[in-house]
Every structure is written in C-alpha cells, then in structure tokens.
Amino acid sequence: MTEEVLRFGDKNLGFGMVSLPDNIDHAPIVVCFNAGLVHREGPYRLNVLICRVLAEVGYISVRVDLSGKGDTPAREGLSNRQSVALDWQHIKQSLSARFGDRKIILMGLCSGADNAIKIAAKDTAVKGLVLLDAMPPYDEGFAIRELMGKLSNIYKWLNLPKTTLRRFRWALGLESNVHAEMAALRDEPNDSDMDQCFRRISACSGRVLAVFTSQAMNQYNQQGQFVHSLNIVGFDECCQEVFWPLADHLYQLQSHRDRLVQCVEAWARDNLEHFCTDRVAEN
C-alpha cells in the first residue's frame, strides 16, 4: 500500500489523502467524508484506519477535507448543501483525471453519512455506501419498543428523578441539551433524498453497510429498522445492517474501533468483485 495527496477544487485548494492498493487496475474507489467538523483523519484516526485497511483489501480509498474542514479552506456565500455538492463535483473530477471512471462507494460518520446520502441521491456513479450513524427513519414499532425498553429497565427507574430534573433545566434554559445541539448542526437528508438515494442504489444492485451505535437510539432501537422503515422493494438484499447499542458514536474504545474496522473490511472483501470497474457497463 502507498499513499499520495489528492488536490481538488478552485486553485487546487481542496485537500485529501489517497491510500492505494498494490494493484489499482480494476480497483473501485471509496471516498470518506469528514465527521462533523473533524479533520479528515476522523475521530481517533478512524478514517485513516478504515481507509488503509480498504487499500489492503483492494480499494482505492480517499479521505477528504470538505470546504471549511481540516486543510481545505472555507467557501463563502453557499449553503452547506451547495458547498458539499460543489466539493463533490471537484473531487470527482480530480479522481477521474487520476484514475478514470470507476465505481464509487461513499463513506461517512454522522454528518459524513448525511452528505454521502445526499450525493448518492443524485450521482449515478455512486454504487455503494458505508453509513455510520446515519439518521434512520422511524418505523411503526419504534415507539412501543422504546416504551417497553424503558419500563423494563430498572436503571431508567432509578435515574428518573435525575432525568426529570435535567429535562426541567433544559426547558428553563439552565442547562444545554448537548444531544439536541449536535442534531441541530447536522444538515440531514430530507425524505426525498432518502427515497431517491436508496431506490437508486437498490435499482442498480448497489451495496450498503449501515452501522448504528448508541448515538442513534433516539431514533433507532432494533436491528432491521433501517431497511424496514425505508420500505423499498429489494433493498433488504442490498443492505447489511448492524446495531451496536453499547458502542459510542465516536468509537472511543480501541475494541470498538477494531470491531468496526473488521466489520467494514469483511463487507468490503465480500463485495470487492461486485464493485470491480469491469462491471460498470452492466449497471
């Protein structure tokens, strides 16, 4: 495996790093977006670990800094959606100039997953997604599962006074609601983005790995909910869904990072042949 710099955008001010497999002849490309405002290396170097493993498997893996993040300067006068779309146009042009046309897989944690979904909804070159704590839709059973989980959890009852006090403090503005503030910073894909993205991925026999941690539990509480809630014919055959309720959002524990890297590696190995560029014309 070797690595090289990727420059993109106006005056080549955009910055990314490419991890190359030993043989790039038919290698698909994985592009990894920033998680929130974090540098392209990701929390606890998570993006670096995953991209290097993907290169060892046989993928060209790219970790990029979108405008205003890491080493790429901010762009003025555009909304986040517009800026990300323009960044993607430039990134894709640079990748095409270096490697030619290939199947593309997008990967991201948190807002990185949001951006991947919005791009995949529009770009037919995107044939796969690795989504880490994307915003999942509710399904019909979410509310009853959540209620039953709370009623049967003794720790919820023991913490009820503390929880009630905290909610009062939120309501009175005496304490900040960190989870709500984090959610407000995300430019989430809308219903149309979600529908277009996953219908298109399903129609082209793409592949999706969707991993959910404890961070998603305000909206997600059962493995299989993601596929079920989207209600797209054939999507269950495209999507591998994983639920780790004991893992935290940023994978702070080494054991959790190792588990995620191994999961992505296994998924990537299983689907490498499917993503090979000599099959582009078939889809």
Side-chain angles (χ1 to χ4, degrees), residues 168-196:
F168 270 117
R169 292 179 64 83
W170 289 346
L172 295 173
L174 301 175
E175 180 179 338
S176 60
N177 185 339
V178 176
H179 294 293
E181 291 174 355
M182 289 178 62
L185 292 174
R186 293 179 69 164
D187 180 16
E188 300 174 27
N190 58 39
D191 291 344
S192 177
D193 296 324
M194 297 287 284
D195 188 67
Q196 289 182 45

Side-chain angles (χ1 to χ4, degrees), residues 1 22 94-95 112-113 145 157-158 179 186 233 276:
M1 181 198 74
D22 293 335
S94 292
L95 291 174
R145 292 195 301 269
W157 291 103
L158 293 174
H179 294 293
R186 293 179 69 164
V233 174
C276 283

Side-chain angles (χ1 to χ4, degrees), residues 56 69 101 134 138 158 174 176 209 219 234 242 244 267:
E56 292 173 0
K69 303 173 179 66
D101 293 332
Y138 296 106
L158 293 174
L174 301 175
S176 60
L209 173 63
Q219 289 185 250
V242 179
W244 294 333
W267 179 86

Side-chain angles (χ1 to χ4, degrees), residues 46 50 209 211-212 223 242-247 251 253-266:
L46 188 64
I50 292 177
L209 173 63
V211 181
F212 298 96
Q223 185 161 319
V242 179
F243 184 28
W244 294 333
L246 298 182
Y251 296 89
L253 294 182
Q254 181 70 52
S255 59
H256 291 168
R257 292 196 295 277
D258 291 343
R259 186 182 184 188
L260 177 63
V261 171
Q262 291 166 9
C263 178
V264 175
E265 178 183 7

